[in-house]
Amino acid sequence: MHRKATDTTAAVDVFMAALVHPCKAEVEVLRGIVTGVDPRIAEGIKWNAPSWRLDEYFATTHLRARQGIGVILHLGAKTRAPEQRPAIDDPDGLLEWLGPDRARVAFAGMDELRRRQSAFEAVLRQWIRLL
């Protein structure tokens, strides 16, 4: 799979090797899902968690969730927050909006992650078009 020159997947591999987390397997699956959505997506560590970017970071694993695993979607550090949240087709109701420029997607565990993978991929494709 083609990666950008700024890809830091090796740093994520090192982070994951040391990670002690009840949803570590889900995080590994998330890595494959997110990077599989678009070949331009690169991985890295941001906010002490596996994260993904094009030119700027747009998604970060939410490792502090009390249960399950989540991903915070955001519009990058340089992007100005829109006055209203963007229109994202989300028929499965995956997005929990935290503000006009960020949302959380949460999965209770591996079964839900696998069951909702296609819907999550569709949301991700729409999200990266906003960047």
Side-chain angles (χ1 to χ4, degrees):
M1 179 179 288
H2 173 68
R3 292 279 182 236
K4 291 172 49 171
T6 57
D7 188 12
T8 54
T9 296
V12 182
D13 291 341
V14 169
F15 178 91
M16 290 301 297
L19 181 66
V20 177
H21 192 280
C23 293
K24 183 174 182 173
E26 288 85 344
V27 175
E28 289 288 7
V29 170
L30 277 172
R31 291 179 67 191
I33 291 171
V34 177
T35 58
V37 165
D38 188 306
R40 300 172 298 157
I41 295 173
E43 297 185 288
I45 299 295
K46 182 154 180 85
W47 298 311
N48 201 31
S51 300
W52 299 274
R53 68 179 180 271
L54 293 176
D55 291 326
E56 292 187 59
Y57 284 99
F58 67 87
T60 301
T61 310
H62 185 223
L63 296 176
R64 297 179 307 207
R66 295 187 190 273
Q67 294 180 325
I69 195 69
V71 175
I72 304 296
L73 300 174
H74 44 88
L75 296 177
K78 295 178 185 174
T79 305
R80 293 184 192 188
E83 291 183 21
Q84 60 186 19
R85 68 183 193 207
I88 300 276
D89 184 30
D90 180 22
D92 284 25
L94 291 177
L95 296 172
E96 176 190 348
W97 288 93
L98 305 172
D101 63 341
R102 65 192 184 287
R104 176 176 36 226
V105 177
F107 302 100
M110 188 68 79
D111 289 343
E112 183 180 14
L113 177 58
R114 290 295 191 191
R115 189 176 69 250
R116 300 179 94 182
Q117 179 175 341
S118 293
F120 182 51
E121 290 168 338
V123 165
L124 285 171
R125 283 186 195 95
Q126 295 173 75
W127 195 273
I128 63 174
R129 279 185 238 143
L130 300 171
L131 303 173

PDB file of all heavy atoms in Angstrom, residues 95-116:
ATOM      1  N   LEU A  95     -21.877   9.289  14.633  1.00  0.00           N
ATOM      2  CA  LEU A  95     -21.237  10.518  15.100  1.00  0.00           C
ATOM      3  C   LEU A  95     -21.934  11.105  16.326  1.00  0.00           C
ATOM      4  O   LEU A  95     -23.135  11.347  16.317  1.00  0.00           O
ATOM      5  CB  LEU A  95     -21.219  11.566  13.986  1.00  0.00           C
ATOM      6  CG  LEU A  95     -20.397  11.214  12.753  1.00  0.00           C
ATOM      7  CD1 LEU A  95     -20.625  12.249  11.665  1.00  0.00           C
ATOM      8  CD2 LEU A  95     -18.925  11.118  13.109  1.00  0.00           C
ATOM      9  N   GLU A  96     -21.149  11.329  17.364  1.00  0.00           N
ATOM     10  CA  GLU A  96     -21.591  12.106  18.520  1.00  0.00           C
ATOM     11  C   GLU A  96     -20.861  13.439  18.401  1.00  0.00           C
ATOM     12  O   GLU A  96     -19.639  13.506  18.609  1.00  0.00           O
ATOM     13  CB  GLU A  96     -21.217  11.416  19.826  1.00  0.00           C
ATOM     14  CG  GLU A  96     -21.561  12.235  21.047  1.00  0.00           C
ATOM     15  CD  GLU A  96     -20.979  11.662  22.329  1.00  0.00           C
ATOM     16  OE1 GLU A  96     -20.485  10.519  22.329  1.00  0.00           O
ATOM     17  OE2 GLU A  96     -21.010  12.384  23.336  1.00  0.00           O
ATOM     18  N   TRP A  97     -21.571  14.479  18.034  1.00  0.00           N
ATOM     19  CA  TRP A  97     -20.942  15.775  17.788  1.00  0.00           C
ATOM     20  C   TRP A  97     -20.518  16.412  19.099  1.00  0.00           C
ATOM     21  O   TRP A  97     -21.320  16.555  20.017  1.00  0.00           O
ATOM     22  CB  TRP A  97     -21.885  16.682  17.001  1.00  0.00           C
ATOM     23  CG  TRP A  97     -22.000  16.217  15.579  1.00  0.00           C
ATOM     24  CD1 TRP A  97     -22.936  15.366  15.072  1.00  0.00           C
ATOM     25  CD2 TRP A  97     -21.091  16.526  14.518  1.00  0.00           C
ATOM     26  NE1 TRP A  97     -22.672  15.130  13.736  1.00  0.00           N
ATOM     27  CE2 TRP A  97     -21.555  15.833  13.367  1.00  0.00           C
ATOM     28  CE3 TRP A  97     -19.954  17.312  14.419  1.00  0.00           C
ATOM     29  CZ2 TRP A  97     -20.903  15.917  12.134  1.00  0.00           C
ATOM     30  CZ3 TRP A  97     -19.317  17.393  13.196  1.00  0.00           C
ATOM     31  CH2 TRP A  97     -19.793  16.697  12.068  1.00  0.00           C
ATOM     32  N   LEU A  98     -19.254  16.785  19.183  1.00  0.00           N
ATOM     33  CA  LEU A  98     -18.683  17.438  20.364  1.00  0.00           C
ATOM     34  C   LEU A  98     -18.540  18.935  20.149  1.00  0.00           C
ATOM     35  O   LEU A  98     -18.205  19.660  21.073  1.00  0.00           O
ATOM     36  CB  LEU A  98     -17.311  16.821  20.675  1.00  0.00           C
ATOM     37  CG  LEU A  98     -17.296  15.304  20.850  1.00  0.00           C
ATOM     38  CD1 LEU A  98     -15.874  14.795  20.968  1.00  0.00           C
ATOM     39  CD2 LEU A  98     -18.127  14.893  22.050  1.00  0.00           C
ATOM     40  N   GLY A  99     -18.767  19.384  18.939  1.00  0.00           N
ATOM     41  CA  GLY A  99     -18.652  20.782  18.540  1.00  0.00           C
ATOM     42  C   GLY A  99     -18.820  20.831  17.039  1.00  0.00           C
ATOM     43  O   GLY A  99     -18.939  19.790  16.390  1.00  0.00           O
ATOM     44  N   PRO A 100     -18.818  22.002  16.445  1.00  0.00           N
ATOM     45  CA  PRO A 100     -19.015  22.090  14.998  1.00  0.00           C
ATOM     46  C   PRO A 100     -17.834  21.557  14.187  1.00  0.00           C
ATOM     47  O   PRO A 100     -17.969  21.311  12.995  1.00  0.00           O
ATOM     48  CB  PRO A 100     -19.224  23.581  14.752  1.00  0.00           C
ATOM     49  CG  PRO A 100     -18.580  24.255  15.912  1.00  0.00           C
ATOM     50  CD  PRO A 100     -18.718  23.314  17.073  1.00  0.00           C
ATOM     51  N   ASP A 101     -16.688  21.335  14.842  1.00  0.00           N
ATOM     52  CA  ASP A 101     -15.494  20.887  14.131  1.00  0.00           C
ATOM     53  C   ASP A 101     -14.958  19.545  14.601  1.00  0.00           C
ATOM     54  O   ASP A 101     -13.885  19.115  14.190  1.00  0.00           O
ATOM     55  CB  ASP A 101     -14.392  21.939  14.266  1.00  0.00           C
ATOM     56  CG  ASP A 101     -13.969  22.142  15.712  1.00  0.00           C
ATOM     57  OD1 ASP A 101     -14.742  21.771  16.635  1.00  0.00           O
ATOM     58  OD2 ASP A 101     -12.873  22.676  15.933  1.00  0.00           O
ATOM     59  N   ARG A 102     -15.721  18.848  15.452  1.00  0.00           N
ATOM     60  CA  ARG A 102     -15.228  17.562  15.940  1.00  0.00           C
ATOM     61  C   ARG A 102     -16.390  16.674  16.388  1.00  0.00           C
ATOM     62  O   ARG A 102     -17.425  17.161  16.843  1.00  0.00           O
ATOM     63  CB  ARG A 102     -14.204  17.736  17.047  1.00  0.00           C
ATOM     64  CG  ARG A 102     -14.729  18.354  18.291  1.00  0.00           C
ATOM     65  CD  ARG A 102     -13.593  18.757  19.233  1.00  0.00           C
ATOM     66  NE  ARG A 102     -14.099  19.269  20.486  1.00  0.00           N
ATOM     67  CZ  ARG A 102     -14.676  20.434  20.674  1.00  0.00           C
ATOM     68  NH1 ARG A 102     -14.854  21.241  19.646  1.00  0.00           N
ATOM     69  NH2 ARG A 102     -15.096  20.818  21.854  1.00  0.00           N
ATOM     70  N   ALA A 103     -16.147  15.380  16.264  1.00  0.00           N
ATOM     71  CA  ALA A 103     -17.150  14.386  16.650  1.00  0.00           C
ATOM     72  C   ALA A 103     -16.440  13.140  17.156  1.00  0.00           C
ATOM     73  O   ALA A 103     -15.278  12.898  16.842  1.00  0.00           O
ATOM     74  CB  ALA A 103     -18.038  14.040  15.455  1.00  0.00           C
ATOM     75  N   ARG A 104     -17.159  12.367  17.930  1.00  0.00           N
ATOM     76  CA  ARG A 104     -16.623  11.109  18.451  1.00  0.00           C
ATOM     77  C   ARG A 104     -17.421   9.955  17.844  1.00  0.00           C
ATOM     78  O   ARG A 104     -18.638  10.036  17.690  1.00  0.00           O
ATOM     79  CB  ARG A 104     -16.734  11.073  19.975  1.00  0.00           C
ATOM     80  CG  ARG A 104     -16.292   9.765  20.583  1.00  0.00           C
ATOM     81  CD  ARG A 104     -16.291   9.742  22.105  1.00  0.00           C
ATOM     82  NE  ARG A 104     -17.378  10.508  22.682  1.00  0.00           N
ATOM     83  CZ  ARG A 104     -17.219  11.376  23.697  1.00  0.00           C
ATOM     84  NH1 ARG A 104     -16.037  11.596  24.215  1.00  0.00           N
ATOM     85  NH2 ARG A 104     -18.254  12.027  24.182  1.00  0.00           N
ATOM     86  N   VAL A 105     -16.700   8.893  17.526  1.00  0.00           N
ATOM     87  CA  VAL A 105     -17.312   7.640  17.113  1.00  0.00           C
ATOM     88  C   VAL A 105     -16.855   6.618  18.138  1.00  0.00           C
ATOM     89  O   VAL A 105     -15.656   6.504  18.411  1.00  0.00           O
ATOM     90  CB  VAL A 105     -16.862   7.223  15.697  1.00  0.00           C
ATOM     91  CG1 VAL A 105     -17.461   5.884  15.318  1.00  0.00           C
ATOM     92  CG2 VAL A 105     -17.229   8.294  14.675  1.00  0.00           C
ATOM     93  N   ALA A 106     -17.790   5.889  18.728  1.00  0.00           N
ATOM     94  CA  ALA A 106     -17.448   4.914  19.763  1.00  0.00           C
ATOM     95  C   ALA A 106     -17.970   3.533  19.387  1.00  0.00           C
ATOM     96  O   ALA A 106     -19.033   3.401  18.773  1.00  0.00           O
ATOM     97  CB  ALA A 106     -18.040   5.349  21.104  1.00  0.00           C
ATOM     98  N   PHE A 107     -17.184   2.539  19.752  1.00  0.00           N
ATOM     99  CA  PHE A 107     -17.548   1.152  19.526  1.00  0.00           C
ATOM    100  C   PHE A 107     -17.409   0.418  20.857  1.00  0.00           C
ATOM    101  O   PHE A 107     -16.386   0.539  21.530  1.00  0.00           O
ATOM    102  CB  PHE A 107     -16.629   0.505  18.493  1.00  0.00           C
ATOM    103  CG  PHE A 107     -16.645   1.214  17.162  1.00  0.00           C
ATOM    104  CD1 PHE A 107     -15.635   2.100  16.825  1.00  0.00           C
ATOM    105  CD2 PHE A 107     -17.676   1.005  16.267  1.00  0.00           C
ATOM    106  CE1 PHE A 107     -15.647   2.765  15.610  1.00  0.00           C
ATOM    107  CE2 PHE A 107     -17.702   1.665  15.047  1.00  0.00           C
ATOM    108  CZ  PHE A 107     -16.689   2.546  14.716  1.00  0.00           C
ATOM    109  N   ALA A 108     -18.430  -0.355  21.222  1.00  0.00           N
ATOM    110  CA  ALA A 108     -18.414  -1.080  22.497  1.00  0.00           C
ATOM    111  C   ALA A 108     -17.353  -2.173  22.517  1.00  0.00           C
ATOM    112  O   ALA A 108     -16.839  -2.518  23.580  1.00  0.00           O
ATOM    113  CB  ALA A 108     -19.796  -1.671  22.786  1.00  0.00           C
ATOM    114  N   GLY A 109     -17.026  -2.697  21.366  1.00  0.00           N
ATOM    115  CA  GLY A 109     -16.043  -3.779  21.298  1.00  0.00           C
ATOM    116  C   GLY A 109     -15.867  -4.233  19.863  1.00  0.00           C
ATOM    117  O   GLY A 109     -16.363  -3.609  18.914  1.00  0.00           O
ATOM    118  N   MET A 110     -15.164  -5.341  19.700  1.00  0.00           N
ATOM    119  CA  MET A 110     -14.826  -5.836  18.375  1.00  0.00           C
ATOM    120  C   MET A 110     -16.065  -6.174  17.551  1.00  0.00           C
ATOM    121  O   MET A 110     -16.112  -5.884  16.351  1.00  0.00           O
ATOM    122  CB  MET A 110     -13.921  -7.070  18.487  1.00  0.00           C
ATOM    123  CG  MET A 110     -13.366  -7.533  17.163  1.00  0.00           C
ATOM    124  SD  MET A 110     -12.183  -6.366  16.438  1.00  0.00           S
ATOM    125  CE  MET A 110     -10.721  -6.771  17.399  1.00  0.00           C
ATOM    126  N   ASP A 111     -17.081  -6.781  18.172  1.00  0.00           N
ATOM    127  CA  ASP A 111     -18.280  -7.148  17.420  1.00  0.00           C
ATOM    128  C   ASP A 111     -18.940  -5.919  16.801  1.00  0.00           C
ATOM    129  O   ASP A 111     -19.303  -5.929  15.621  1.00  0.00           O
ATOM    130  CB  ASP A 111     -19.286  -7.889  18.313  1.00  0.00           C
ATOM    131  CG  ASP A 111     -18.827  -9.287  18.684  1.00  0.00           C
ATOM    132  OD1 ASP A 111     -17.913  -9.816  18.024  1.00  0.00           O
ATOM    133  OD2 ASP A 111     -19.392  -9.843  19.648  1.00  0.00           O
ATOM    134  N   GLU A 112     -19.099  -4.867  17.592  1.00  0.00           N
ATOM    135  CA  GLU A 112     -19.718  -3.654  17.060  1.00  0.00           C
ATOM    136  C   GLU A 112     -18.825  -2.999  16.010  1.00  0.00           C
ATOM    137  O   GLU A 112     -19.312  -2.518  14.987  1.00  0.00           O
ATOM    138  CB  GLU A 112     -20.026  -2.652  18.172  1.00  0.00           C
ATOM    139  CG  GLU A 112     -20.731  -1.424  17.633  1.00  0.00           C
ATOM    140  CD  GLU A 112     -21.074  -0.396  18.680  1.00  0.00           C
ATOM    141  OE1 GLU A 112     -20.553  -0.460  19.820  1.00  0.00           O
ATOM    142  OE2 GLU A 112     -21.851   0.512  18.341  1.00  0.00           O
ATOM    143  N   LEU A 113     -17.528  -2.990  16.241  1.00  0.00           N
ATOM    144  CA  LEU A 113     -16.600  -2.411  15.265  1.00  0.00           C
ATOM    145  C   LEU A 113     -16.732  -3.125  13.921  1.00  0.00           C
ATOM    146  O   LEU A 113     -16.833  -2.480  12.877  1.00  0.00           O
ATOM    147  CB  LEU A 113     -15.166  -2.496  15.793  1.00  0.00           C
ATOM    148  CG  LEU A 113     -14.053  -2.016  14.879  1.00  0.00           C
ATOM    149  CD1 LEU A 113     -14.254  -0.560  14.471  1.00  0.00           C
ATOM    150  CD2 LEU A 113     -12.701  -2.186  15.577  1.00  0.00           C
ATOM    151  N   ARG A 114     -16.763  -4.429  13.937  1.00  0.00           N
ATOM    152  CA  ARG A 114     -16.887  -5.196  12.692  1.00  0.00           C
ATOM    153  C   ARG A 114     -18.268  -4.983  12.054  1.00  0.00           C
ATOM    154  O   ARG A 114     -18.386  -4.841  10.847  1.00  0.00           O
ATOM    155  CB  ARG A 114     -16.656  -6.684  12.944  1.00  0.00           C
ATOM    156  CG  ARG A 114     -15.219  -7.011  13.267  1.00  0.00           C
ATOM    157  CD  ARG A 114     -14.344  -6.717  12.094  1.00  0.00           C
ATOM    158  NE  ARG A 114     -13.013  -7.269  12.291  1.00  0.00           N
ATOM    159  CZ  ARG A 114     -11.996  -6.987  11.521  1.00  0.00           C
ATOM    160  NH1 ARG A 114     -12.131  -6.147  10.520  1.00  0.00           N
ATOM    161  NH2 ARG A 114     -10.829  -7.513  11.738  1.00  0.00           N
ATOM    162  N   ARG A 115     -19.313  -4.957  12.881  1.00  0.00           N
ATOM    163  CA  ARG A 115     -20.672  -4.809  12.374  1.00  0.00           C
ATOM    164  C   ARG A 115     -20.896  -3.442  11.732  1.00  0.00           C
ATOM    165  O   ARG A 115     -21.614  -3.309  10.750  1.00  0.00           O
ATOM    166  CB  ARG A 115     -21.669  -5.031  13.514  1.00  0.00           C
ATOM    167  CG  ARG A 115     -23.123  -5.110  13.078  1.00  0.00           C
ATOM    168  CD  ARG A 115     -24.064  -5.418  14.235  1.00  0.00           C
ATOM    169  NE  ARG A 115     -24.156  -4.309  15.151  1.00  0.00           N
ATOM    170  CZ  ARG A 115     -23.668  -4.283  16.394  1.00  0.00           C
ATOM    171  NH1 ARG A 115     -23.025  -5.319  16.880  1.00  0.00           N
ATOM    172  NH2 ARG A 115     -23.808  -3.216  17.160  1.00  0.00           N
ATOM    173  N   ARG A 116     -20.243  -2.409  12.262  1.00  0.00           N
ATOM    174  CA  ARG A 116     -20.453  -1.046  11.790  1.00  0.00           C
ATOM    175  C   ARG A 116     -19.295  -0.522  10.934  1.00  0.00           C
ATOM    176  O   ARG A 116     -19.230   0.651  10.631  1.00  0.00           O
ATOM    177  CB  ARG A 116     -20.696  -0.140  12.988  1.00  0.00           C
ATOM    178  CG  ARG A 116     -21.939  -0.601  13.777  1.00  0.00           C
ATOM    179  CD  ARG A 116     -22.216   0.230  14.959  1.00  0.00           C
ATOM    180  NE  ARG A 116     -23.183   1.244  14.553  1.00  0.00           N
ATOM    181  CZ  ARG A 116     -23.637   2.192  15.339  1.00  0.00           C
ATOM    182  NH1 ARG A 116     -23.212   2.290  16.583  1.00  0.00           N
ATOM    183  NH2 ARG A 116     -24.516   3.068  14.906  1.00  0.00           N
TER     184      ARG A 116
END
